[in-house]
């Protein structure tokens, strides 16, 4: 018995979804870069304190984590012709880095 025939939409371009995902990761890394730069600016502008330096350093480390995850995802999308599922542990790491970066940013503002 042969598998059922798959209907393909002639207007659908399978290369667009990975491209949109790549662009979304680029926007995410740009946002993370802005947060890290603002964290450094806030730490240096308001007077240097130990808590400010720790929050700023943590924010920069988390930014590097998001950057590494984005780079890994973009490389995975470029290596295969079709979309590849994002590993749950990488998705969890991305969420953790994003939430922790927001908490560090809030700690610097307060």
């Amino acid at each position: 018995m042969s598998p059922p025939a798959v209907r393909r939409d002639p207007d659908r371009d399978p290369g667009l979804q990975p491209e949109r995902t790549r662009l979304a990761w680029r926007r995410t890394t740009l946002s993370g870069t802005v947060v890290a730069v603002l964290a450094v600016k806030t730490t240096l502008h308001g007077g240097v304190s130990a808590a400010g330096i720790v929050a700023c350093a943590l924010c920069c480390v988390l930014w590097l984590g998001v950057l590494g995850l984005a780079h890994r995802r973009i490389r995975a999308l470029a290596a295969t012709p079709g979309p590849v599922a994002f590993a749950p542990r990488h998705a969890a790491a991305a969420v953790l880095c994003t939430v922790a970066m927001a908490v560090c940013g809030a700690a610097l503002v307060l």
Side-chain angles (χ1 to χ4, degrees):
M1 184 188 250
S2 64
V6 177
R7 270 186 57 199
R8 298 199 186 253
D9 185 4
D11 295 330
R12 184 179 182 281
D13 182 2
L16 290 179
Q17 190 272 333
E19 180 68 14
R20 285 191 305 268
T21 303
R22 185 185 67 78
L23 291 172
W25 276 108
R26 291 289 181 203
R27 287 189 303 270
T28 302
T29 57
L30 179 62
S31 299
T33 303
V34 169
V35 168
V37 168
L38 288 175
V40 170
K41 181 182 179 284
T42 301
T43 300
L44 297 177
H45 184 269
V48 180
S49 68
I53 290 175
V54 168
C56 180
L58 186 58
C59 193
C60 290
V61 168
L62 291 166
W63 170 71
L64 288 174
V66 169
L67 198 61
L69 286 166
H71 182 68
R72 167 177 258 167
R73 182 64 179 155
I74 289 169
R75 271 195 352 230
L77 287 171
T80 60
V84 179
F86 198 34
R89 67 185 181 132
H90 293 144
V95 169
L96 178 68
C97 286
T98 303
V99 170
M101 198 179 305
V103 169
C104 289
L108 285 171
V109 172
L110 298 178

